[in-house]
Structure formats: C-alpha cells, structure tokens
C-alpha cells in the first residue's frame, strides 16, 4: 500500500506512513488565479493499493473535497488498483437527513461524487451519525478517536474524571471515554430548534459537585454547545472542566468563548489542524489501514 499525502492532511499522512511503513506519495497543489484547484501526484501508484489521506474541514471544505476527488481521479488514471479515501473530518456529514421540506441530503451527494471520481472505500473518524454511512455507494467505516482523547487526559493526571456528553444521543461517546478514564459518565439534554438553530441545554440528576469533568463531543463548531455545557457544570459545582472533541472546527471566536466559559483546556485531533489539535489520529488510522492490508 502507498499513502497519498493530501494537501489538507500532509503532516497526518506522513505520520501514517511512518507508523505503517507504507511509502508516501507527495502531492503538488495550487489554486489557479480564477480559484480552481489543481493537484498532481508526485510519485507512481501503478498497480498499488493506495490510501488518500485528506481531511475536508473548514475553511474551504468545498475546495478540499474537490482536491480529494481530483486525487482519486489522478490515482485511478495512474493505475492504482484500489483506492481508499481516508477522510478524518467528512464535510457535510451533519446534513444526513431532510430536516425541512425542500432540503437535500448533502452527505449522500458528497458520497456519490466521490464514487464517481473512483474511490473504492472510505474510512472516516467519528462521523456525526454512523447510519449515514449505510447509504454510501461503497464500503465505508467510521473509527472513534474518543479513546485517544481520553488517554490524553489520563496522561495529564485526570484518571477517574467524569466523562460527560452534551446530549443524550452522544452518551455513547462519554461511555467510550469512561472506559479509559475509569470514572463515571453522564449526559446533558439538548433541544435544537431546526429553523433558528438555537439550542436549549439542561441537566437532570447530574452529580458533578467538586468533580473534574471532561466534556466529550464529536464536533465543536460555533462553540455554543460547549459554552452552554460548561456554564451548567459550573452552576452544578464542578471543580475543573475540560473538553475533548474530535473535530475542533472552532469557527470564529469559539475557542475564546469556551475558555472564557471556564473550560480549562480544549483538546482536539489533527482531523482539523489548528491550535487545539493536540492528539494525532495517525495511530488510529495506521492500525485500520494495516488491518485491511
Ligand atoms: C451536534 O449534535 C454535535 O454533536 C455538536 O455538539 C455540535 O455540532 C456542536 O456545534 P456548536 O459548537 O456550534 O454548538
């Protein structure tokens, strides 16, 4: 197998190559003056199985998606035998249903576009809703980076901390963290108005007084969810509040607002390279690619 280092995830792809021993294919990329993307594989993939590592996080997620499709096409034309797209953050995964009349299902459109470009299978990380993958026109799986995030906190001395998810649907995430942290787990409740996007968070029967609490979530976008959760935890008397999230998009001033709300540290992964991407997905992705090779 060879690892194609997508421009959006070059460091991560090189990490995967180093851990697996699979050779790296670098990619030249540029944006033309009119805004169109260009990519060129700088090594041979003739007869190879390839893993193209390319995240599709903001900013410019549409361009990153197109770069991915163009790399897939280039690999196919270059004679690759099998193409696995490794997309740590899959853009549009949250539009996985028709929430309102007149909408489409964006994530399915993205999957069909990737199929048309030539991918054979897809690996992603903590996709917002796993059932969305069942509608993809190729085998697709999602890995969980939550144990790696929890391990980060164990290494920092927070073994036994309370693992909290910001809503009931994400309790399984808190429970994955709990297995590593060894403390208790629980959830808040969150209701979202589909028209305004406004959310209301509440805590029912949560006992976190004097405890160290780590909020785990798949995505931080505007930060509103974590800010709201942190406020509730402070009101409930939590002693320390931390946050572990897989995809730290941190749009606008989200990072500042979360820290101002009393969260002592935000820890994310390199699915979204940036100020909080302190945990690398390289071991997780390497393990998955080795298992399929
Ligand atoms: C939603 O259900 C997700 O799991 C996240 O909680 C959400 O996307 C975070 O968005 P924001 O940071 O804008 O509150």
């Amino acid at each position: 197998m060879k690892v194609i280092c997508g421009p959006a995830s070059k460091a991560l792809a090189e990490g995967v190559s180093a851990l697996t021993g699979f050779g790296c294919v670098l990619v030249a990329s540029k944006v033309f003056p009119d805004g169109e993307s260009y990519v060129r594989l700088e090594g041979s993939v003739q007869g190879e199985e390839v893993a193209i590592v390319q995240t599709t996080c903001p900013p410019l997620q549409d361009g990153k998606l197109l770069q991915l499709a163009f790399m897939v096409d280039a690999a196919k034309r270059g004679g690759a035998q099998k193409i696995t797209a490794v997309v740590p953050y899959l853009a549009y995964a949250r539009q996985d249903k028709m929430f309102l009349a007149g909408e489409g299902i964006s994530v399915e459109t993205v999957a069909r576009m990737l199929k048309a470009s030539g991918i054979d299978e897809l690996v992603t990380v903590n996709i917002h809703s796993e059932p969305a993958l069942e509608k993809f026109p190729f085998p697709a799986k999602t890995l969980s980076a939550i144990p790696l995030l929890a391990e980060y906190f164990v290494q920092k001395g927070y073994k036994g901390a309370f693992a909290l998810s910001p809503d009931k649907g994400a309790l399984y995430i808190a429970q994955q963290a709990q297995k590593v942290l060894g403390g208790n787990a629980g959830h808040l409740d969150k209701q979202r108005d589909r028209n305004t996007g406004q959310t209301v968070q509440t805590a029912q029967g949560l006992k976190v007084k004097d405890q160290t609490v780590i909020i785990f979530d798949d995505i931080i976008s505007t930060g509103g969810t974590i800010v709201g959760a942190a406020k509730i935890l402070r009101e409930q008397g939590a002693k320390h509040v931390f946050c572990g999230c897989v995809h730290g998009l941190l749009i606008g001033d989200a990072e500042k607002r979360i820290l101002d709300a009393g969260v002592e540290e935000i820890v994310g992964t390199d699915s979204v390279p940036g100020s909080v991407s302190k945990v690398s997905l390289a071991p997780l992705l390497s393990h998955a690619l080795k298992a399929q090779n």
Side-chain angles (χ1 to χ4, degrees):
M1 179 173 266
K2 280 192 174 173
V3 177
I4 297 180
C5 303
S9 293
K10 184 167 180 282
L12 173 57
E14 286 172 343
V16 170
S17 166
L19 285 178
T20 55
F22 300 148
C24 253
V25 175
L26 296 178
V27 178
S29 67
K30 64 181 175 185
V31 178
F32 289 110
D34 61 1
E36 294 184 353
S37 296
Y38 168 92
V39 295
R40 185 174 62 81
L41 308 186
E42 293 187 315
S44 171
V45 293
Q46 181 64 48
E48 299 277 358
E49 290 194 11
V50 298
I52 304 179
V53 184
Q54 168 88 344
T55 199
T56 58
C57 62
L60 304 175
Q61 59 269 58
D62 295 354
K64 288 171 185 163
L65 268 174
L66 272 182
Q67 281 182 333
L68 173 60
F70 295 163
M71 286 186 283
V72 173
D73 180 58
K76 194 104 190 153
R77 290 174 197 274
Q81 202 185 85
K82 182 179 171 198
I83 301 172
T84 301
V86 179
V87 189
Y89 178 75
L90 183 63
Y92 297 101
R94 282 177 290 175
Q95 183 68 26
D96 60 345
K97 288 185 190 72
M98 293 171 67
F99 297 101
L100 297 174
E103 292 181 347
I105 304 182
S106 310
V107 73
E108 290 184 24
T109 306
V110 166
R112 288 198 301 275
M113 183 186 93
L114 293 174
K115 172 73 179 172
S117 67
I119 83 162
D120 295 298
E121 55 184 58
L122 179 133
V123 176
T124 187
V125 179
N126 289 95
I127 191 166
H128 181 62
S129 160
E130 196 164 346
L133 296 176
E134 290 164 16
K135 299 279 176 58
F136 283 21
F138 39 72
K141 70 175 163 204
T142 182
L143 310 172
S144 179
I146 295 296
L148 287 177
L149 289 170
E151 186 55 36
Y152 174 95
F153 287 104
V154 169
Q155 293 305 321
K156 295 269 286 206
Y158 299 114
K159 183 104 188 141
F162 190 104
L164 183 91
S165 66
D167 59 71
K168 194 173 180 187
L171 178 61
Y172 75 97
I173 285 181
Q175 288 168 335
Q176 287 176 3
Q178 179 190 25
K179 281 193 184 138
V180 178
L181 289 165
N184 291 323
H187 66 87
L188 298 179
D189 291 290
K190 182 169 90 170
Q191 304 292 334
R192 185 181 293 272
D193 182 316
R194 284 283 161 210
N195 288 301
T196 63
Q198 298 278 352
T199 57
V200 179
Q201 289 165 282
T202 50
Q204 274 154 23
L206 196 68
K207 293 202 177 82
V208 292
K209 191 163 166 43
D210 296 328
Q211 293 201 44
T212 294
V213 182
I214 308 172
I215 310 164
F216 288 92
D217 208 354
D218 55 348
I219 300 172
I220 298 176
S221 180
T222 65
T225 300
I226 302 299
V227 167
K231 283 186 180 151
I232 291 175
L233 291 171
R234 290 296 184 195
E235 282 161 17
Q236 303 272 330
K239 192 168 163 198
H240 297 287
V241 179
F242 297 91
C243 171
C245 90
V246 180
H247 310 297
L249 306 181
L250 296 170
I251 306 303
D253 62 352
E255 184 173 357
K256 180 177 182 310
R257 290 196 307 113
I258 291 170
L259 296 175
D260 287 350
V263 172
E264 293 172 44
E265 185 179 1
I266 308 168
V267 181
T269 77
D270 50 5
S271 76
V272 184
S275 55
V276 304
S277 52
K278 302 167 190 175
V279 170
S280 179
L281 296 173
L284 183 71
L285 298 175
S286 300
H287 185 263
L289 291 175
K290 274 187 141 171
Q292 77 174 52
N293 195 246

